[in-house]
Amino acid sequence: IILCLCGWLSTVVFYLFRCYFFEKKFGWHKKYNVPMNIEFLIHRYGELVMLLLGESVLSILIVSSINKVEYHVTFYAAIVSIVLLQYSHYKYQPHSPREHACRRSLRGSVTHYAIMIVYCHALVAVGTAYKMFLSTYEVEASLKNKDLRHLVT
């Protein structure tokens, strides 16, 4: 897994370095690369973000419910923050291929790709963090009740 991460990271750094420092002529990339369908790219990135946000909601919902105020505050804060993330993502994404960063310039396209991957990892981390918060309340409640069920899961 570490080698895959290093390979991806070196590729992105190589493209960013090449794009920002060595290639100054406009349109050079059109000679060597296959053109992208920007409308399809917008659609697929939208589906990816929707899938990751759905996974975050699912990971929050599968934690056992506890009758504590802190648990319910964290649960509802998690749901509201994920809904706000979804709203802000789809509100500020361009809906036309003409407005997209990949259409404007090569530098914008490579930068958008790198930032989008980091953004997707951050969405996974949000769901994981909320699940860890809720699981902590579950473990505390089971230790308080001397129930060892948390050791099995």
Side-chain angles (χ1 to χ4, degrees):
I1 293 175
I2 292 174
L3 289 176
C4 290
L5 180 64
C6 291
W8 170 81
L9 190 62
S10 64
T11 303
V12 170
V13 168
F14 171 74
Y15 280 130
L16 284 170
F17 191 74
R18 186 178 87 173
C19 176
Y20 278 97
F21 296 113
F22 290 117
E23 305 295 343
K24 299 205 184 232
K25 294 190 322 189
F26 180 73
W28 65 270
H29 62 283
K30 294 179 183 177
K31 294 179 187 176
Y32 305 108
N33 297 331
V34 177
M36 286 194 311
N37 185 349
I38 305 299
E39 189 172 357
F40 184 70
L41 180 81
I42 292 171
H43 177 71
R44 294 301 284 195
Y45 274 149
E47 287 177 349
L48 177 65
V49 169
M50 190 179 304
L51 176 73
L52 294 173
L53 289 171
E55 287 293 329
S56 296
V57 170
L58 182 66
S59 69
I60 292 167
L61 293 177
I62 62 173
V63 177
S64 300
S65 181
I66 297 169
N67 218 1
K68 284 178 76 174
V69 174
E70 295 90 4
Y71 175 86
H72 291 292
V73 168
T74 306
F75 178 79
Y76 288 115
I79 296 294
V80 167
S81 67
I82 290 174
V83 168
L84 289 175
L85 276 170
Q86 183 266 339
Y87 175 75
S88 65
H89 174 79
Y90 289 107
K91 180 175 173 62
Y92 295 110
Q93 285 296 312
H95 299 292
S96 169
R98 286 175 274 122
E99 302 168 351
H100 201 272
C102 293
R103 176 73 70 189
R104 293 181 189 168
S105 70
L106 178 66
R107 289 180 178 174
S109 179
V110 172
T111 306
H112 177 266
Y113 168 73
I115 290 174
M116 192 66 185
I117 297 298
V118 173
Y119 176 64
C120 289
H121 285 94
L123 289 177
V124 170
V126 164
T128 305
Y130 278 126
K131 182 174 181 163
M132 289 173 63
F133 289 150
L134 295 174
S135 296
T136 302
Y137 293 130
E138 180 185 6
V139 169
E140 287 175 0
S142 64
L143 286 175
K144 183 178 178 183
N145 296 335
K146 298 196 179 3
D147 182 14
L148 300 179
R149 185 176 53 150
H150 70 279
L151 296 175
V152 177
T153 58

